[in-house]
Amino acid sequence: MRISLRLFANPTAAGSTAGLKPAPLALLPPIPLYRRLLRTHRNYLPKEMRLLGDEYVKSEFRAHRDVENPVHIIGFLTEWQMYAQKIEGDSWMGEKLDGGKIEKM
């Protein structure tokens, strides 16, 4: 049997995720995520930024402690987990905040 090159599949961009932000891993429960955020601040941020970041994380988690809406909880945990991944990856240096996120704050 003769092998023909035309039978092999050609790569396409259909399954490519280039240009899209990577999907976060499985969501961490709130307490392990909280600990991860504080640990990330301790390991990756300068002291001044760490103090500000720790206070902000603590106040946000306290403010959302009694939230019952599952959609809101998933959104909250997802955003904080993506933040931790970004800080750990050093891709945040010099990056500007998205206008939509600033309006939501």
Side-chain angles (χ1 to χ4, degrees):
M1 182 172 181
R2 194 170 144 181
I3 299 176
S4 174
L5 291 178
R6 66 183 172 90
L7 296 178
F8 293 123
N10 293 327
T12 64
S16 173
T17 59
L20 300 176
K21 62 183 176 184
L25 301 174
L27 281 178
L28 290 174
I31 293 175
L33 179 60
Y34 178 78
R35 290 179 183 156
R36 178 183 176 188
L37 289 165
L38 295 178
R39 192 176 320 112
T40 300
H41 284 176
R42 184 174 57 243
N43 294 331
Y44 293 95
L45 295 180
K47 185 172 183 166
E48 298 81 22
M49 292 177 78
R50 176 185 167 199
L51 294 173
L52 178 66
D54 286 352
E55 288 302 315
Y56 185 70
V57 167
K58 290 174 185 178
S59 68
E60 282 294 304
F61 272 77
R62 276 189 210 113
H64 291 84
R65 184 183 312 171
D66 298 325
V67 173
E68 301 278 333
N69 185 349
V71 174
H72 187 76
I73 293 170
I74 290 172
F76 179 79
L77 296 176
T78 301
E79 286 297 319
W80 277 110
Q81 189 159 334
M82 288 186 338
Y83 165 79
Q85 290 172 351
K86 188 174 279 196
I87 296 294
E88 290 168 348
D90 289 334
S91 66
W92 59 275
M93 297 274 192
E95 185 176 312
K96 296 187 188 263
L97 286 175
D98 180 32
K101 287 188 181 181
I102 291 175
E103 289 178 15
K104 287 182 181 179
M105 288 184 196

